[in-house]
Amino acid sequence: MKTKCIFLLLLLIGIPLLAQQPMAQGFRLLESGQFSAAETFFGSYLELEPDSKTAKICYGRALGLNGETEKATLLFAKLLETYPKDLEIQLNYNESLLWDQDYEKAQPLYKSLVAEHPQSFAAILGYANTLSNLKEYKAALDWANRALALEPGNKNALISRKYIRLGLANAQIALQDYESAQKLLENIFTDFPEDKETLLNLASLHLITKRIDHAKRTYARYATSPKDSIVAINGMALAEHLGGKEKEALKLASEAIKRIQTLDDDELHERTRERYVQALIWNRKFGKARTQIDSLSVAHADKPWVLALNATLGMYTGDFKLSLRKYGALLLQNPISFDGLLGKANTLFALDQTQKAYEAVEDVLLAYPGQKDALAFKEKLKAQQRPSMEEQGSYSFDNGNNVAYASTTRLRLPLSAKWKTTLSYQHRSTENTMTLDRAQSHQLVAGLEYQLMPLVHVKTIAGLNHAHFATQTYTQPMLDARLQLRPYKLQNLELGYQREVQQFNAALIEREIAMQHYGLSYNVGTPFDLGWYTQLMHTEQSDANTRELLFTSLYYTVLHKQALKFGINYQYISFATQVPDIYFSPESYHAGEVFAEASGRFSKKTRYSAKIAGGIQKVEASPNTPIFRAEVSFGHQLSKRFRGEFYGRYSNIASATATGFEYTEVGLKLQLVLPHPIVKN
């Protein structure tokens, strides 16, 4: 709050003092804000008139307003010993406590003073400002209104009420009471039409509530001078970013850079350069952003805003260790920097240090209680620790007359940030409608995931597969073990072993073919949105057959918020022994396809994903044949903790027969997230 300046209204509480001509020059110095000169004047005057109460009061005011607050308070305290009930001295003593930011001590003194002098405008306004500095805004507003009732239209009281309303509006925003906050801000325009400070606060409120058009219109109201126009353009650029229009944000930021060249305002220059680099990062122009940041680092050394830009670029390019260093350097300069605190929390989360991220977001909320972004981040962390239950039902069929019904129940049970457990049961019933072969299988598996260290995870799933067909049954063990790690930024590596039982259709279930897969998958991304995924797998089967598989995909991400990706895939499969009458087992199989993937939201509660791929496949010496795959899903958040998803998929990639195979599956998933984690952080 900027209420300290409000007390300049009390420069000469005792109006009759003006009649004392020998001190008239000193009064003018106080009135004009020349406090150092006023201190010298009244200090000299007191050498001639050491008992002048008026001169001592003015000397005390000059001391306090010149920054020597403790001396001022001591002087007024001594005066109160001589004049214990003097209202003028009491007011100045109380005010000196405010100069020294000792609001806790001032509050009961003002409370007593307004009780004794209920018609004292200065006492009432001083009490209002004291309460405001103590963030007791509602009470402060009431007392500011009382002051204005005594002196309607008093400029200083109106200024006090403005800042009290601004403070109360910010408090309401922290409580997410946005409607009340907006009313408070708009009420300020009654006293101060189109007040610039209020317009900026109102625009910020619209940004918080994602009312992008309202924010842009408010910034347009602010743009009434060349300087204010640049401030407004910078704000509009942020609004466009929050609205998902990154290109528009960059256009505006570039326009602000052009305009700022004609103005001599160092602070605005910095804010404008900062917004321009941010817009480059939002548009994923990382090379240009790096050049700009390097230039700024030379010119501005390690200023907080340059450190923040470096950290932001690191977050976008996957260089999280760089971001953590830069946010750390920022917090060394300013331990309560919001960008530094929340940025550190996000970076720790990206580095897979969940517990530290949780502690970091608590630091944000300690410094900024109720802050919306911090609360949302904390909720995201909590969601990862909540148990969940999922039920999935599916129906599938193919052109080989096979149909299958499956139901799967999954329980996810996180024990801590490092330990997660799962338990699932699946029942699958298959039938061939032509041969009337039937089989059923039951799978019960338990899983355990452990974080060995940040970015290194071990996942293990073990269980049993029980199959029943005709009059026979068998039970086979199942195992899936994987080591997942990120060896370098934007890279993911997985090593895995899996033992499973073939259960695609009744005929395969009857043959009790167990498979052991030894695999490796590797994905590398780039800051320029190109990615490459490769999977290698060697399979050994219980019927003595072996299989080699290679799958590789080169893809490009076109959009990020509403994700859109294009790419090409290649797949190679080879079996050591060909048994086409039993299962698809070619000596060589090649498939190439192009694909597109899209995912996003129709609304806040409804999301979608879609994938299509098409190309050609070649089985041994057979002619090339076309392939097509498609998969779609639609999910809806039915309540805060309950959501549903419908999905469907189709494929004609050779799998059960050499060519001409078609497979279709539709299903429904329901997930319930329990309200509380088992282990609280």
Side-chain angles (χ1 to χ4, degrees):
M1 288 291 292
K2 300 180 180 178
T3 51
K4 281 175 61 178
C5 64
I6 305 308
F7 292 101
L8 294 178
L9 75 104
L10 302 174
L11 280 172
L12 290 176
I13 297 170
I15 299 300
L17 293 176
L18 291 171
Q20 302 179 39
Q21 294 301 317
M23 287 187 280
Q25 180 183 352
F27 299 152
R28 287 193 294 270
L29 291 172
L30 281 174
E31 288 174 332
S32 61
Q34 300 178 64
F35 304 127
S36 181
E39 179 183 335
T40 301
F41 176 88
F42 285 110
S44 299
Y45 188 91
L46 285 170
E47 291 179 358
L48 301 174
E49 297 287 342
D51 296 325
S52 172
K53 183 180 77 169
T54 299
K56 287 181 179 179
I57 291 173
C58 291
Y59 181 57
R61 294 194 64 79
L63 284 170
L65 293 169
N66 197 36
E68 300 178 74
T69 56
E70 291 185 5
K71 290 183 179 180
T73 300
L74 183 60
L75 186 151
F76 292 130
K78 289 183 177 179
L79 279 174
L80 279 176
E81 292 175 1
T82 307
Y83 309 97
K85 291 296 183 179
D86 188 292
L87 177 60
E88 184 179 354
I89 297 173
Q90 287 178 311
L91 287 168
N92 278 280
Y93 174 73
N94 290 0
E95 187 180 354
S96 73
L97 296 174
L98 301 187
W99 295 333
D100 201 33
Q101 300 184 16
D102 195 350
Y103 309 120
E104 294 285 352
K105 186 175 181 180
Q107 192 269 343
L109 297 177
Y110 269 116
K111 184 177 182 180
S112 174
L113 201 60
V114 296
E116 294 177 12
H117 303 278
Q119 298 302 309
S120 171
F121 172 80
I124 291 173
L125 185 57
Y127 190 33
N129 282 290
T130 302
L131 292 169
S132 177
N133 279 293
L134 290 170
K135 302 189 186 317
E136 297 180 25
Y137 297 115
K138 290 185 178 180
L141 184 58
D142 176 60
W143 285 98
N145 288 332
R146 294 190 194 191
L148 284 163
L150 290 174
E151 293 191 15
N154 181 279
K155 181 180 179 181
N156 296 289
L158 291 174
I159 291 173
S160 285
R161 185 164 70 177
K162 166 191 163 180
Y163 284 106
I164 291 168
R165 282 173 168 166
L166 286 173
L168 181 55
N170 285 328
Q172 299 287 15
I173 290 171
L175 296 173
Q176 299 186 28
D177 186 358
Y178 302 123
E179 184 177 348
S180 296
Q182 183 172 338
K183 288 180 180 179
L184 282 163
L185 293 173
E186 290 174 343
N187 284 341
I188 295 174
F189 295 132
T190 303
D191 299 331
F192 301 94
E194 297 301 276
D195 177 73
K196 293 301 181 71
E197 199 168 2
T198 305
L199 284 170
L200 289 180
N201 277 269
L202 184 59
S204 295
L205 172 59
H206 291 320
L207 293 179
I208 291 170
T209 56
K210 297 296 189 293
R211 302 175 72 188
I212 305 303
D213 290 338
H214 286 75
K216 290 192 290 185
R217 286 197 291 270
T218 305
Y219 280 122
R221 290 165 61 185
Y222 185 89
T224 57
S225 71
K227 177 180 176 180
D228 292 343
S229 294
I230 294 172
V231 173
I233 292 172
N234 286 336
M236 289 178 182
L238 177 59
E240 296 289 12
H241 163 63
L242 294 175
K245 297 180 179 179
E246 309 298 7
K247 291 183 178 179
E248 290 299 319
L250 183 55
K251 284 181 183 178
L252 287 166
S254 300
E255 176 64 24
I257 284 289
K258 293 177 183 177
R259 294 194 185 193
I260 196 65
Q261 306 305 321
T262 61
L263 292 180
D264 183 19
D265 187 320
D266 291 340
E267 184 181 354
L268 187 55
H269 267 270
E270 291 182 359
R271 293 207 304 269
T272 304
R273 289 289 297 277
E274 180 182 21
R275 180 69 79 236
Y276 174 65
V277 176
Q278 288 172 339
L280 289 173
I281 295 173
W282 298 335
N283 282 271
R284 308 189 71 79
K285 297 182 181 295
F286 300 133
K288 288 184 178 180
R290 170 49 61 199
T291 300
Q292 289 286 325
I293 292 172
D294 289 344
S295 174
L296 291 170
S297 297
V298 172
H300 299 282
D302 285 336
K303 284 194 173 181
W305 63 280
V306 178
L307 290 170
L309 287 174
N310 252 311
T312 302
L313 181 59
M315 292 294 288
Y316 271 77
T317 58
D319 196 349
F320 304 123
K321 291 182 180 179
L322 169 68
S323 295
L324 191 59
R325 290 197 303 271
K326 295 302 179 181
Y327 283 129
L330 175 56
L331 290 171
L332 284 176
Q333 294 188 34
N334 179 8
I336 60 169
S337 163
F338 176 75
D339 288 341
L341 289 169
L342 188 57
K344 178 183 176 182
N346 276 288
T347 307
L348 288 167
F349 179 69
L351 286 168
D352 203 23
Q353 299 181 41
T354 306
Q355 183 58 39
K356 289 184 177 180
Y358 191 93
E359 293 167 1
V361 78
E362 290 291 1
D363 290 339
V364 182
L365 292 169
L366 184 63
Y368 302 92
Q371 207 285 325
K372 185 179 180 182
D373 294 332
L375 288 173
F377 181 73
K378 183 178 179 180
E379 176 60 25
K380 181 172 73 172
L381 293 178
K382 283 185 173 181
Q384 289 196 332
Q385 300 302 312
R386 292 192 179 106
S388 65
M389 298 176 63
E390 182 180 287
E391 184 67 32
Q392 177 180 350
S394 67
Y395 168 70
S396 62
F397 59 92
D398 62 48
N399 61 347
N401 301 304
N402 297 296
V403 297
Y405 299 88
S407 66
T408 305
T409 302
R410 298 183 184 91
L411 175 63
R412 180 178 175 271
L413 204 63
L415 300 178
S416 70
K418 288 190 174 184
W419 291 92
K420 297 178 177 66
T421 62
T422 58
L423 183 67
S424 70
Y425 166 75
Q426 181 187 77
H427 172 248
R428 180 180 172 88
S429 175
T430 64
E431 178 183 2
N432 188 290
T433 57
M434 180 173 290
T435 65
L436 300 182
D437 289 339
R438 294 184 176 88
Q440 294 188 27
S441 64
H442 303 265
Q443 289 184 359
L444 180 63
V445 296
L448 180 65
E449 178 182 348
Y450 177 64
Q451 183 190 60
L452 286 173
M453 62 182 69
L455 309 180
V456 180
H457 291 246
V458 174
K459 292 184 177 181
T460 303
I461 297 174
L464 297 172
N465 181 82
H466 178 78
H468 173 76
F469 54 93
T471 59
Q472 301 179 32
T473 63
Y474 66 81
T475 301
Q476 285 272 9
M478 299 175 62
L479 180 64
D480 190 338
R482 300 173 188 272
L483 175 65
Q484 299 174 332
L485 60 156
R486 280 189 264 169
Y488 193 62
K489 64 179 182 179
L490 300 176
Q491 297 185 24
N492 293 276
L493 174 65
E494 180 179 279
L495 303 172
Y497 165 80
Q498 182 182 15
R499 187 186 194 281
E500 64 173 341
V501 180
Q502 182 66 268
Q503 59 166 356
F504 183 77
N505 56 40
L508 289 173
I509 290 175
E510 184 176 355
R511 293 182 181 274
E512 196 177 350
I513 299 175
M515 300 175 291
Q516 297 187 86
H517 306 293
Y518 302 86
L520 174 151
S521 64
Y522 182 71
N523 186 75
V524 56
T526 64
F528 45 89
D529 298 323
L530 193 65
W532 183 23
Y533 173 82
T534 299
Q535 181 185 36
L536 296 170
M537 184 178 292
H538 168 73
T539 300
E540 297 179 355
Q541 299 186 171
S542 59
D543 63 353
N545 208 350
T546 60
R547 184 194 68 173
E548 311 298 335
L549 179 146
L550 164 67
F551 176 83
T552 187
S553 176
L554 186 67
Y555 58 89
Y556 182 76
T557 302
V558 180
L559 300 174
H560 288 265
K561 288 188 176 180
Q562 294 285 345
L564 180 61
K565 181 192 298 183
F566 294 97
I568 55 174
N569 297 331
Y570 169 73
Q571 182 172 317
Y572 169 77
I573 298 175
S574 176
F575 281 82
T577 304
Q578 285 67 58
V579 284
D581 294 338
I582 301 175
Y583 56 85
F584 180 60
S585 50
E587 182 180 2
S588 66
Y589 170 82
H590 302 266
E593 60 183 2
V594 295
F595 74 90
E597 293 182 17
S599 63
R601 292 182 178 274
F602 290 123
S603 67
K604 187 176 181 180
K605 291 187 176 182
T606 306
R607 61 172 63 235
Y608 70 90
S609 68
K611 179 192 298 184
I612 58 171
I616 57 173
Q617 61 185 348
K618 183 176 179 62
V619 181
E620 297 176 341
S622 301
N624 293 341
T625 57
I627 55 176
F628 177 76
R629 295 184 298 122
E631 183 174 342
V632 296
S633 69
F634 301 94
H636 185 72
Q637 195 75 34
L638 300 167
S639 67
K640 186 176 181 179
R641 293 190 297 273
F642 186 56
R643 67 183 180 90
E645 178 184 320
F646 169 80
Y647 72 90
R649 56 175 67 108
Y650 168 85
S651 173
N652 71 347
I653 290 181
S655 177
T657 60
T659 57
F661 175 74
E662 294 182 59
Y663 173 81
T664 302
E665 180 181 336
V666 293
L668 178 67
K669 296 179 183 179
L670 298 173
Q671 184 187 62
L672 175 66
V673 179
L674 301 185
H676 302 293
I678 294 177
V679 179
K680 295 185 178 181
N681 287 295

